[in-house]
Amino acid sequence: MVKEIGIGIGVGSLIILLIEGFNILPLLFLGILGIFLYQMLTQNGIAGTTSRQQALNKKIPSIEFNKIGGQDSAKKELIEALDFVKDLNGIKHMGIRAIKGILLSGPPGTGKTMLAKAAAYYTDSVFRSASGSEFIEMYAGLGAKRVRNLFNDARQLARKNNKSSAIIFIDEIDVLGSKRGQVSSHLEYDQTLNQLLVEMDGLSVDDQIQLLIIAATNRIDILDQALLRPGRFDRIVQVELPSKQARLSILRIHTANKPLAKDVELESIARETFQFSGAHLENLTNEAAILALREDTPQIKQKHFIEAIDKVIMGEKLDRRPNQTELTRIAVHETGHALLSEVLKPGSVSTITITSRGKALGYVRHNPEDDLYLQTEDYLEEQISISIAGAVAEKLLLSSKSTGARNDFEKAIQMAKIMIFSGMTKLGMVGEETIPRELLHQEISRILQDIEEKVMIIVKDNQGLIRQVADELIEAERFSGDQLRQLIKNKC
Ligand code: ADP
Ligand code: MG
Ligand code: ZN
């Protein structure tokens, strides 16, 4: 408003001067120059110096862990580590090396950034974030300098806000932290990574401001091992695509602020969104709201959600949920593995899921065992039994095998070979180089057949149980080991 009046007065006086016969050209020129200078200053001078300054002004994010749906085990592991970080006096007293880095590993859109922010809120720390790609520059030394700045900024930000701790979040750490020497002709990457390691090594529990570095990646496999050593990112938290139950809670979170019609069943939306990440689900609720708004309906209806699912799938090139026959097969296969595992080693299953990840369709995760320096014959036989149980269950319950068991067989064959070359078989002591291929082949087949027969008996005895557990697994998509054991107990 004031601006308009100003312009009005300016133009008015110019007209008067013009009428008076005054030469206004120099004045006009000066005015334009002034406007130009002002623009430059506001854009580059004040705002531009400054993306650094702006970042400094961001305070503690106000995301709480309960705004993150699902991710129960990731949250639990992260909070455990944070509780430890918070107990500074305890750490000092015991002379413990502080946790400096936590790595969040998992696919995009699963809430890693949110987790890092929630960590800052939880520990009452200021939050400074950066992305791996920001450090990659053509000019030697600039990346390293930016790493130094990042650490200093975080400390300064904490001081300014009277906080004693700061969390530095480095997204896409793989961009700057892939194995050194891998990126040819780019010594720059190595210098940047080295600088990060130097900064982290320099952190101490006695620092006035405690820094915790949280990094995120979905390519943990390409990270330089130096990053994962003790005293660096030695806590790794797996963040996974949400299960059905988790999808439901994410949908609830993102529809909490939206008017939903009575016919909306978030449960069925959760079921239909197999393989969706949290970000996809957020996008889905947003699209549904847009569709409702376009139709001028005051509330979002179920059909809007359904339509939005298709939109997100097409937009993101997501796979639809596998068909029911495939799901049944995957569930029976994984239940076969899990059941054998529980029969042979009660308490050994930690998770069973039919959510596909990478190439594996579903998977059974086992509780970590003590490191074995020696593998006994029994142990190897158990491992082979568990490996082939997936295929055996498919064969017995669905009367055919599938290609889903290829990796399992490869594992079983590897272990059979270990048995042979450790002299555990009738062949006695045989050497890898001298044994005739034909004989090796026969012996492997014999071992696998013997074990398969035993596995068949166990699977046959438990056919009904496997079917029921598989059915429930299709519903739930994922069970913890305890849930699985409870189910087995109830059904027996
Ligand atoms: P990542 O860092 O793993 O790529 P983000 O944390 O950036 O994922 O998530 C992007 C967006 O997706 C979030 O802002 C949020 O809206 C949504 N989102 C992702 N995961 C979740 C979750 N577990 N609960 C709720 N919202 C989520
Ligand atoms: Mg992110
Ligand atoms: Zn398998």
Side-chain angles (χ1 to χ4, degrees), residues 201-215:
D201 291 347
L203 301 178
S204 139
V205 277
D206 296 320
D207 291 346
Q208 234 179 19
I209 286 162
Q210 293 294 310
L211 291 190
L212 175 68
I213 326 300
I214 299 183

Side-chain angles (χ1 to χ4, degrees), residues 109 112-114 169 171 216:
K112 298 183 292 298
T113 306
M114 289 180 100
F169 177 58
D171 208 355

Side-chain angles (χ1 to χ4, degrees), residues 18-19 34 75 153 280 358 395 412 414 455:
L18 195 63
I19 294 170
K75 278 196 255 183
D153 283 356
H280 292 141
K395 178 101 202 282
Q414 283 314 318
V455 173

Side-chain angles (χ1 to χ4, degrees), residues 316-336:
E316 308 268 351
K317 299 200 178 64
L318 275 168
D319 290 333
R320 235 189 203 297
R321 193 175 164 83
N323 67 36
Q324 203 60 30
T325 330
E326 276 172 324
L327 274 183
T328 306
R329 185 174 285 282
I330 299 170
V332 165
H333 179 105
E334 298 307 330
T335 308

